[in-house]
Amino acid sequence: MTMKLLRSLTFLAVVSLAVCACAQDARPDSSAAMSLDTVPPAPITCLEARDYVDNSDAGDKIHITWSLSADDGGGMSDVASYQLWRSEGAEAGWDSLGVAAAGQTSYLDETAEPGVDYYYGVAAFDGVNYSEQTSFGPVAGRTNFFQKTRVSVLVLMLVFFGMVLVFTKLAERGADLFVRRIPGLNAIEEAVGRATEMGRPVLYVPGIGEIDNIMTIASLTILSHVAKITARYETPLIVPTARAVVMSAAEEVVKEAYAAVGKPDGYNPDNIRYLSDAQFAFAGAVNGIMLREKPAANLYMGAFWAESLLLAETGFEAGAIQVAGTAMVSQLPFFVTACDFTLMGEELYAASAYLSREPKLLGGLKGSDWMKVLSITIMATGVIIYLLNPDNAFVAWFSSQ
Amino acid sequence: MTFIWTTIGALLTLSIYSFLYKDNPFYKFAEHLVVGVSAGYYLVIYYFNFIHPNVFSPVFLLRMGGEPIGFGSFLWWMALIPGLLGILLYARFFPKFAWVGRWALGVYVGGYAGLGISPVMQARVIEQLRANAVSVAGVEDPFAAMTNLALGVVIFAAMTYLLIVKRNLGTKNLLAKIGVLLVSAVMGYAGWWVLSLISSTGVVSLTNILLVVGLLGTLSYFFFSMKHKGLLGGLARVGIAFLMVGFGASFGYTVMSRVSLLIGRVSFLLHDWLHLID
């Protein structure tokens, strides 16, 4: 009995030992891990923090850079991340700023107060231990009075303004500045002539832009030219507008044009109409004019949006000869499709300069013309230089951060 | 109640669509209604969205954006001065003082231009120049290189033919035309070869060439200081071709979006109003 009990106890002891041994084999080698955790990674080096300069910098950004820990990718290769701290002085404590991934050598602090001195600390982290912290400071973010990344903008603007001023002065002194005739302008005169022959009015839509829109201003210059022709031919001129100020400006322009050709009595203020500020209400009302008053010539000059095709298509259906002009790139396809002639983009401004011979308009047109030549030259030079060496300073000069 | 409003909306929609047949009293009614309603609507919108919060409230109630402001403070003046400038615009209705309105317009247009010119120069000129000063060097994938080469020779040949050969040599008969085309192709290949020779990867990218040629042509079209003759005329013709391709794509894209608007209206009529579809 005693022997049986001893054998049983011995068996249990052996089985227990075996089970314990198996369980210990299945567990990770925690003792080995514990030995790794006691060794912190090597600290980072070359820590620097500088005021960051970009195109929207208000002095609230500081750029922090460092060299990788010797254990990041090399050495013990156990760096998991980099921890960043920020302090406002030697007396103040360190606040956690953020974490950068292993392999990363920079961090942008976007929460700095402009003008406040900061100290920055960075330490490598292996998941358990931090390396010795490396510090840098003080550094403060400053609002940049002059953004070096915009030098190219400044230079090209000065060149452009210079050219505009020179050509404006030349025009004022009576120099003969050549501007080529734009085919669409002949079409305007033909359209008005046709309306006169048919005894029907001319419809002139100056767009739905406000008076501060450069297209509306160019349109009013062309309106003056059209009004002079209609005054001479004694053809009614209808000008529907979508803006109250544009209406009063159009009234002045048409009135002056009629007076300029000696036909002040031919001016009818009822034909300069305010319809509606609402885009499609305006379009609907102009369509109604087209169908009821049956103008033989429809001229659309100015800033147009989605109403362009509604107007041009109705005018086409009504059988009117149509000439359009706008710098709204998204609307040009509709005018090109539905109108007989279209002044595209800058042709609208060129037309107003050509017709008025106003020195400022001529100066602007000639200045932008030669700016195009300069642009082509820069582009061609850039292509050649880039072809030979992609990492060249010439193209980089035009790049902004 | 909802059904009544939906029915009114549906009937007005149908009235507007009746314009597709011809002008009629239903369309006239809908047109005049929308013009009249929009005038009243915008008056209220302008007052409550602009005049009241930006002028009336700060100047008279001394509150801006829900916060109290002091009488005579910087913010108070910043509300009063634009308000006064806005009132000056109405001087146009009194011919004797109409010139005063130009002050307001001067501030408005000048301020807008001053604020806008730098971003416009950056976004529309500098960035475009930088993006176009790209390498015409392409990838070294043999298939892409062969395709590029074939298309490139055709394009170079066409350009050479249009810009140089046709304008300067002219064509008289079929043999001469074939000869001119051959010369163009050879010159095209030569151009391609020279570019490939100096390219860092040994091949040139068709897309980048098209980009650069398209921009050169388009800029040439909008050059007004010389007549469109000779080389400038040829470049301008290339430019107008690029413009028309762009307009065609834009037209198609917008037509698709307009069709979706039509679908929205039809859905309103058949689903919201008549409940004929789910």
Side-chain angles (χ1 to χ4, degrees), chain B:
Chain B
M1 197 64 188
T2 308
F3 177 74
I4 294 172
W5 286 116
T6 309
T7 304
I8 291 172
L11 291 176
L12 287 173
T13 301
L14 291 173
S15 300
I16 292 289
Y17 277 135
S18 69
F19 183 75
L20 292 170
Y21 170 59
K22 67 175 187 179
D23 192 25
N24 62 72
F26 295 107
Y27 176 75
K28 277 184 196 169
F29 173 74
E31 174 202 322
H32 286 84
L33 186 68
V34 73
V35 170
V37 166
S38 69
Y41 176 76
Y42 274 92
L43 183 70
V44 175
I45 289 286
Y46 283 152
Y47 178 77
F48 283 104
N49 283 5
F50 300 104
I51 297 173
H52 186 82
N54 297 328
V55 181
F56 187 84
S57 176
V59 173
F60 297 107
L61 306 179
L62 303 180
R63 295 187 75 81
M64 182 180 273
E67 299 292 325
I69 60 168
F71 179 80
S73 64
F74 177 74
L75 287 176
W76 187 82
W77 283 107
M78 284 300 98
L80 180 70
I81 293 171
L84 290 176
L85 286 171
I87 290 170
L88 289 185
L89 284 174
Y90 292 95
R92 290 178 165 275
F93 298 112
F94 307 97
K96 196 175 173 184
F97 302 104
W99 58 275
V100 180
R102 290 178 187 167
W103 290 0
L105 279 180
V107 172
Y108 189 30
V109 176
Y112 180 81
L115 285 172
I117 196 157
S118 174
V120 166
M121 182 64 89
Q122 172 76 29
R124 298 194 180 177
V125 180
I126 303 277
E127 284 301 316
Q128 305 297 322
L129 282 177
R130 191 189 59 76
N132 278 282
V134 291
S135 171
V136 288
V139 289
E140 286 181 331
D141 173 19
F143 180 74
M146 287 306 292
T147 317
N148 269 339
L149 178 64
L151 287 170
V153 169
V154 171
I155 289 171
F156 266 84
M159 294 283 296
T160 315
Y161 180 76
L162 273 173
L163 294 178
I164 302 169
V165 183
K166 189 182 175 190
R167 302 192 69 79
N168 297 318
L169 298 180
T171 54
K172 291 176 182 173
N173 55 41
L174 186 64
L175 272 178
K177 282 181 184 174
I178 293 169
V180 165
L181 273 173
L182 281 175
V183 169
S184 306
V186 170
M187 290 179 75
Y189 182 76
W192 187 262
W193 180 77
V194 169
L195 271 181
S196 303
L197 202 65
I198 58 175
S199 160
S200 54
T201 57
V203 287
V204 289
S205 160
L206 177 69
T207 316
N208 288 356
I209 288 178
L210 281 177
L211 192 74
V212 173
V213 169
L215 189 74
L216 281 176
T218 309
L219 280 176
S220 305
Y221 177 79
F222 289 107
F223 191 72
F224 299 99
S225 294
M226 287 169 71
K227 286 184 178 172
H228 281 175
K229 287 182 176 174
L231 182 63
L232 183 65
L235 276 171
R237 273 212 298 280
V238 172
I240 200 76
F242 271 87
L243 280 175
M244 290 304 150
V245 169
F247 289 163
S250 176
F251 187 88
Y253 175 77
T254 312
V255 166
M256 288 304 292
S257 67
R258 298 292 168 87
V259 169
S260 73
L261 289 179
L262 174 67
I263 291 169
R265 278 287 91 187
V266 172
S267 168
F268 169 74
L269 292 174
L270 298 182
H271 176 262
D272 297 359
W273 185 42
L274 297 176
H275 304 291
L276 291 178
I277 57 172
D278 291 328

Side-chain angles (χ1 to χ4, degrees), chain A residues 35-52:
Chain A
S35 67
L36 269 182
D37 277 348
T38 59
V39 181
I44 59 118
T45 53
C46 304
L47 177 65
E48 279 190 18
R50 292 179 186 283
D51 179 25
Y52 183 71

Side-chain angles (χ1 to χ4, degrees), chain A residues 167-178:
Chain A
F167 282 114
T168 304
K169 283 288 169 199
L170 284 173
E172 282 174 351
R173 289 177 187 172
D176 184 24
L177 299 179
F178 175 80

Side-chain angles (χ1 to χ4, degrees), chain A residues 104-137:
Chain A
Q104 200 173 323
T105 57
S106 68
Y107 184 90
L108 186 62
D109 177 11
E110 299 183 60
T111 59
E113 287 285 326
V116 175
D117 283 336
Y118 289 109
Y119 293 80
Y120 288 91
V122 181
F125 183 58
D126 64 4
V128 179
N129 302 299
Y130 288 104
S131 71
E132 185 186 336
Q133 178 182 314
T134 310
S135 305
F136 184 90

